[in-house]
Amino acid sequence: MKHRIVILGAGYAGAYVAGTLARRLSPADAEITVVNADPDFVQRLRLHQLAAGHKIEAPQLTDVFAGTGIRLRLARVTAVDSEREIVAVADSDGGGELGYDTLVYALGSHGDRTGVPGAAEHAFDVAARPSALRLRDRLDGLGEGRSAVVVGDGLTGIETATEIAETRPGLSVTLVARAELGARLSAGARSHLRQACDRLGVTVVEHTEVEAVEATRVRCADGTVLAADATVWTAGFAVSPVAAAGGLEVTESGRIVVDRTMRSVSHPNVYAVGDSAYAVGDNGRPLPMSCASAGYTGMQATAAIVGRLTGRKIANTKLEYLGNHISLGRRDGILQMVDDEGRAKPTYAGGRKAARVKAGILRMSLWTTSHPTFALPRRKRRLAAAPDASAETAVAQPSGLRLG
């Protein structure tokens, strides 16, 4: 019987893992199935552009995985039974169950609009394709002089506010920052960001907490009221509760606690990658939710799975976070590198060059995802007679980690 590998999620991390495993493992021994609710590959890094009104490529997953030997199941994951090694899914035919020998959990994250009254009912987010399209429809219905308020000055908030302002100059765009705008950037990058907002006409409201979101306005804790014909919530992200409900060891936020090889510390035949994984980087700090982190966790997980299943030594790939690539509309950007402590380095790159680098990263990410088994080797590795599916059941937890 073939070893069943089930990968939950076909985002950047899940699609990479599926393609790499298909390249490296013999189909005579391994069966790879990808479960994804959306029929298309979603370029999450460009959803703020989709919301602003740009056309974004969305390759069909049936085309992406055609000829790779990877099975695609279009369905929504409803539960993971980690004891029975079963995944429950729901689809138009009623759903069913999938058994696994190795599970790769790559369900990612979604926008969290639960923390402030009215946000879930009245705000939009750009963390998923359907929500980004709803925001675009809303913006399409707004005429000259109407207002859009973006809450949250993280990377997603900055990119969303500047993209909307550049694409829809007739709108009044406000960006609400909890602290100083771009607080985690270097002084030069902060100055560049502020100049970009001024150039694009983005009004920045700093050191402000949002208290409530209403249909046509945003109320702040200091009494400020901002008119908002469209409110965009980028102030937080959350992961699916499926992992916690399935008995996997997770953090208080629901991210799966993994060891250095992305293996669940509680269930040795489960791996987590991308935003779903609570992984500690080479600098001793948890990797942030980001596309860059997803790439590193995906590489490490595939190396570990291939090594264990084929009886080879497991290579430790890099687990690092080097910096941020921020787009400020289509013709401007910021490249901000960070040190080993996660602090911004004094120097940065900005302007058109930075924008071109960011655009190049997006094109490369799309191409590699659309060609998951590129450079397919002629010889694939056979599985060992007795793959290591149960050893190394746990590693020491990071100090100070509070588990839920």
Side-chain angles (χ1 to χ4, degrees):
M1 183 177 178
K2 293 184 180 181
H3 188 92
R4 301 164 299 172
I5 302 174
V6 175
I7 300 169
L8 307 183
Y12 294 105
Y16 170 84
V17 171
T20 306
L21 292 178
R23 288 202 309 270
R24 296 182 179 178
L25 297 177
S26 170
D29 298 331
E31 174 185 285
I32 302 171
T33 301
V34 174
V35 182
N36 200 66
D38 199 307
D40 305 321
F41 173 69
V42 177
Q43 293 194 70
R44 184 166 178 177
L45 291 176
R46 299 188 64 186
L47 287 179
H48 64 286
Q49 297 174 354
L50 179 67
H54 297 287
K55 183 179 180 181
I56 304 301
E57 290 183 71
Q60 290 191 345
L61 291 177
T62 51
D63 295 334
V64 169
F65 294 127
T68 65
I70 298 168
R71 300 183 177 187
L72 174 64
R73 178 70 181 270
L74 294 176
R76 179 174 57 86
V77 177
T78 58
V80 171
D81 188 331
S82 57
E83 302 307 318
R84 295 173 56 218
E85 299 179 346
I86 293 291
V87 175
V89 300
D91 56 22
S92 58
D93 296 325
E97 294 183 337
L98 295 173
Y100 65 85
D101 300 304
T102 295
L103 181 69
V104 181
Y105 192 104
L107 291 180
S109 62
H110 58 270
D112 184 7
R113 294 176 288 153
T114 62
V116 171
E121 295 82 6
H122 303 297
F124 300 86
D125 69 65
V126 292
R129 183 178 174 86
S131 55
L133 289 173
R134 287 194 294 271
L135 173 57
R136 185 176 71 180
D137 290 342
R138 176 61 174 166
L139 296 176
D140 285 344
L142 300 181
E144 292 280 335
R146 304 294 288 277
S147 58
V149 174
V150 179
V151 181
D153 68 325
L155 303 188
T156 302
I158 291 170
E159 292 191 327
T160 301
T162 52
E163 192 75 42
I164 292 175
E166 180 180 86
T167 306
R168 301 171 182 268
L171 290 181
S172 171
V173 180
T174 299
L175 176 60
V176 180
R178 180 175 294 179
E180 179 185 2
L181 177 66
R184 296 183 180 180
L185 301 175
S186 63
R190 287 197 303 272
S191 176
H192 185 99
L193 172 58
R194 193 173 297 277
Q195 291 173 19
C197 288
D198 291 343
R199 172 175 55 82
L200 293 169
V202 176
T203 300
V204 179
V205 179
E206 298 175 287
H207 305 289
T208 300
E209 291 277 352
V210 171
E211 188 175 69
V213 177
E214 300 176 359
T216 59
R217 62 180 189 171
V218 171
R219 290 195 288 110
C220 303
D222 62 1
T224 302
V225 177
L226 304 172
D229 296 300
T231 300
V232 189
W233 195 265
T234 69
F237 297 91
V239 298
S240 167
V242 166
L248 295 166
E249 189 163 337
V250 300
T251 64
E252 287 185 337
S253 64
R255 300 171 74 188
I256 299 172
V257 183
V258 297
D259 65 13
R260 181 58 176 75
T261 67
M262 301 303 112
R263 197 183 205 181
S264 164
V265 299
S266 61
H267 293 77
N269 62 342
V270 177
Y271 295 78
V273 295
D275 288 357
S276 302
Y278 181 88
V280 176
D282 295 337
N283 62 357
R285 297 173 178 271
L287 291 174
M289 291 182 177
S290 71
C291 181
S293 298
Y296 287 122
T297 59
M299 286 188 285
Q300 181 60 80
T302 53
I305 293 170
V306 171
R308 290 189 172 107
L309 293 184
T310 62
R312 288 171 168 80
K313 183 179 179 180
I314 298 171
N316 277 352
T317 64
K318 292 181 179 180
L319 293 178
E320 56 187 358
Y321 192 77
L322 299 177
N324 299 312
H325 304 81
I326 310 167
S327 63
L328 305 173
R330 291 302 181 92
R331 296 177 294 277
D332 194 2
I334 292 173
L335 304 182
Q336 176 68 74
M337 309 308 286
V338 300
D339 60 21
D340 289 341
E341 299 299 317
R343 297 171 301 198
K345 293 183 177 181
T347 59
Y348 80 101
R352 287 182 178 270
K353 180 179 179 180
R356 286 195 294 268
V357 171
K358 178 63 179 284
I361 292 172
L362 296 177
R363 287 193 298 270
M364 180 181 67
S365 298
L366 176 62
W367 192 93
T368 54
T369 303
S370 301
H371 301 78
T373 54
F374 175 71
L376 192 70
R378 293 181 179 179
R379 297 185 62 185
K380 299 186 181 183
R381 296 177 180 177
R382 301 295 301 268
L383 270 61
D388 175 14
S390 59
E392 307 171 43
T393 56
V395 295
Q397 297 171 7
S399 61
L401 177 63
R402 298 174 60 194
L403 303 178

